[in-house]
Amino acid sequence: MKDAYSRDVTYLRLSVTDLCDLRCRYCMPAGGVPKLPRGGVCSVEELVEITRQAVRLGVRKVRLTGGEPLVRRGIVEICRGVAALDGVEELCLTTNGTALSRFAGPLREAGVDRLNVSLDTLRPDRFAHMTRTGRLEDVLRGLEAARAAGFTGTKLNVVLMDGFNRDEIPDFVELARRSPLEVRFIELMPIGQGTRERFLPAAAVLDACPELEEAESSGVARRYRIPGGMGLVGLIEPMSRRFCRGCDRIRVTADGRLKPCLHSDREIPLRGLSGEALRRAIAGGIAAKPPHHSMAETGRSGASRNMNQIGG
């Protein structure tokens, strides 16, 4: 289905929980955020039905997000239900990787095609500081388990932060050189706890690693090859290079509200609907997609929730 600006919307980012086992400083306050009340999160059946109707409107790619999706009870069942829907051509999942060593095999068997793992530092002390509760070794074990389970095309999502991981850019590029991973450097957005003071343009990656060679882009990412390397480097620049003209996605929060744009406070309730009524509501959300976000002009996202409450 096309939106009002003739963009084909084929990508659904479906949040399965607002909960997370980490407390990353740019995402959450130290004490976390208020939990949804009991029954406030969509059931397995609701999530599958929302996806079914979105697929009937032209969605072909689904990404499960959170919070942290692997803390959601029934996550494997959700994956299996979504993967079984006619029309779903690719099912992906974004995770912080802390529980991936336990879930990699079951996720692969349930029909997940590809993983994105969020990892902002390769230094254990920095990881512990940034996440407040996490251990880098757990994520590294998860990446190895994903490889052993047969996942390919795994991507690492690295949020660039000045004064935190700028000096690790060459280390991440080296990781992509010797591993079949795509390391994607993502500009920090002014949403939730993210602040402009930490902003580092993705162009800093090219300054730090001038040997990178331009490759074919993929989605919103500009991609680069590493001479003699196994993997790729991607740059995602929502602040420096607004890519809204090519936006092909909608988001649904864990409590069943469709967001036509991540950086808008507009939300369309979907819970309690099914069949044609649900499909009409999703179509209305697609039609309501704005032409672009306004972060460059306002310096702040228009979203009224943190990322863990929306879906990363």
Side-chain angles (χ1 to χ4, degrees):
M1 179 176 173
K2 292 184 182 294
D3 70 4
Y5 301 93
S6 298
R7 295 172 296 197
D8 284 313
V9 176
T10 60
Y11 183 6
L12 169 63
R13 297 179 73 102
L14 182 66
S15 178
V16 300
T17 181
D18 63 323
L19 302 180
C20 186
D21 55 333
L22 301 181
R23 296 289 181 270
C24 293
R25 293 173 185 272
Y26 61 85
C27 184
M28 286 195 205
V33 295
K35 296 180 182 180
L36 291 171
R38 184 176 179 85
V41 177
C42 290
S43 67
V44 172
E45 294 75 18
E46 286 175 311
L47 293 169
V48 173
E49 174 65 5
I50 288 169
T51 307
R52 177 181 290 110
Q53 300 307 328
V55 168
R56 290 180 178 176
L57 291 168
V59 163
R60 294 292 174 262
K61 176 180 177 179
V62 180
R63 177 175 300 283
L64 302 182
T65 69
E68 168 49 45
L70 299 189
V71 305
R72 168 66 195 258
R73 183 176 297 179
I75 183 59
V76 175
E77 184 183 355
I78 294 168
C79 294
R80 188 174 293 114
V82 171
L85 294 173
D86 288 340
V88 173
E89 297 175 0
E90 185 178 23
L91 174 60
C92 307
L93 183 142
T94 296
T95 174
N96 63 30
T98 59
L100 192 53
S101 61
R102 185 158 48 95
F103 279 98
L107 291 174
R108 186 67 176 154
E109 292 171 4
V112 176
D113 296 300
R114 192 170 51 75
L115 298 170
N116 282 30
V117 178
S118 300
L119 182 61
D120 301 323
T121 177
L122 296 171
R123 302 187 184 184
D125 56 336
R126 289 184 180 179
F127 187 89
H129 171 76
M130 177 56 69
T131 65
R132 294 189 176 103
T133 60
R135 300 189 309 169
L136 177 61
E137 62 192 84
D138 293 335
V139 182
L140 298 180
R141 277 201 301 268
L143 286 168
E144 177 56 30
R147 186 201 62 77
F151 281 105
T152 59
T154 299
K155 298 177 181 178
L156 290 188
N157 291 344
V158 183
V159 177
L160 286 168
M161 287 170 278
D162 202 14
F164 176 70
N165 60 7
R166 180 199 280 259
D167 60 340
E168 292 189 66
I169 290 172
D171 298 334
F172 276 108
V173 171
E174 172 62 17
L175 181 61
R177 186 191 67 78
R178 56 186 171 81
S179 305
L181 299 168
E182 181 175 334
V183 175
R184 306 197 314 171
F185 294 96
I186 304 172
E187 291 181 341
L188 179 66
M189 295 179 286
I191 183 173
Q193 308 300 304
T195 64
R196 291 177 68 89
E197 290 74 23
R198 288 282 195 181
F199 176 75
L200 182 64
V205 175
L206 303 181
D207 293 338
C209 302
E211 72 275 14
L212 295 175
E213 300 173 348
E214 193 167 352
E216 183 179 358
S217 296
S218 175
V220 300
R222 290 195 294 156
R223 297 200 299 176
Y224 297 83
R225 295 186 184 88
I226 309 153
M230 299 175 64
L232 292 166
V233 169
L235 305 184
I236 298 180
E237 304 159 282
M239 302 299 293
S240 300
R241 292 173 175 261
R242 190 161 60 190
F243 41 72
C244 303
R245 283 189 301 175
C247 182
D248 60 353
R249 67 191 61 182
I250 52 174
R251 296 170 185 264
V252 174
T253 63
D255 56 352
R257 303 181 74 86
L258 186 152
K259 289 185 67 67
C261 173
L262 167 61
H263 300 294
S264 167
D265 62 358
R266 183 165 188 179
E267 298 183 352
I268 298 167
L270 302 180
R271 293 195 81 182
L273 304 177
S274 62
E276 185 178 347
L278 175 57
R279 190 160 62 253
R280 283 199 304 267
I282 296 172
I286 292 172
K289 283 178 64 64
H292 54 76
H293 66 70
S294 301
M295 289 189 294
E297 294 80 7
T298 65
R300 196 70 194 165
S301 172
S304 57
R305 308 204 225 181
N306 287 342
M307 280 296 291
N308 71 293
Q309 297 168 309
I310 296 171

